[in-house]
Amino acid sequence: QVQLVESGGGLVQAGGSLRLSCVASARTVGRYVMGWFRQAPGKDREFVAGMSSNGGDTYYADSVKGRFTISRDNAKKTVYLQMNSLKPEDTAVYYCAQSGRLPISTLHNDYNFWGQGTQVTVSS
């Protein structure tokens, strides 16, 4: 079982930046997807960004395109989410997750392993 741990959340003013990290407990071999989701109070869990295991494919929600970037460091077993030009509507708990199948899915039920979440709050 893979354990995922997020970090890097916090409080930031609108227009600012944060970088989230997600560290896996073990190396995953084969084909898989790493994704970032977020969930605000009273709302469903929402797909934010995803990346294939080989780094060849990325996909972003329309709401974050051009502002967020997903990346990975396989040697460190870490996936990152660089968030720039943050808006108050980005406020949510952010989760990293892993899916065992390609292609990248935007559906949270397709992801098998989840981190505990990290809070991101953007003030106006």
Side-chain angles (χ1 to χ4, degrees):
Q1 292 288 325
V2 176
Q3 295 283 109
L4 304 175
V5 180
E6 303 99 332
S7 62
L11 175 64
V12 64
Q13 290 184 321
S17 298
L18 285 173
R19 189 195 194 201
L20 306 183
S21 299
C22 175
V23 180
S25 63
R27 179 180 177 182
T28 301
V29 298
R31 298 174 181 177
Y32 62 95
V33 169
M34 294 299 300
W36 286 96
F37 289 77
R38 65 188 182 187
Q39 188 165 24
K43 294 186 178 295
D44 292 335
R45 192 162 296 189
E46 174 190 24
F47 175 83
V48 175
M51 173 175 275
S52 61
S53 53
N54 63 8
D57 296 305
T58 59
Y59 188 76
Y60 298 90
D62 288 342
S63 59
V64 306
K65 284 181 180 177
R67 300 189 298 120
F68 291 11
T69 303
I70 187 170
S71 62
R72 70 199 307 150
D73 185 331
N74 289 336
K76 296 180 179 179
K77 303 186 293 294
T78 303
V79 62
Y80 304 95
L81 185 67
Q82 178 67 47
M83 305 185 295
N84 299 325
S85 301
L86 283 162
K87 305 173 181 179
E89 50 263 46
D90 295 319
T91 295
V93 177
Y94 283 70
Y95 301 88
C96 69
Q98 184 180 121
S99 170
R101 294 284 188 180
L102 294 173
I104 298 169
S105 174
T106 63
L107 306 177
H108 64 86
N109 286 341
D110 287 338
Y111 290 77
N112 307 106
F113 304 107
W114 292 84
Q116 83 289 347
T118 184
Q119 177 71 46
V120 172
T121 303
V122 184
S123 63
S124 59

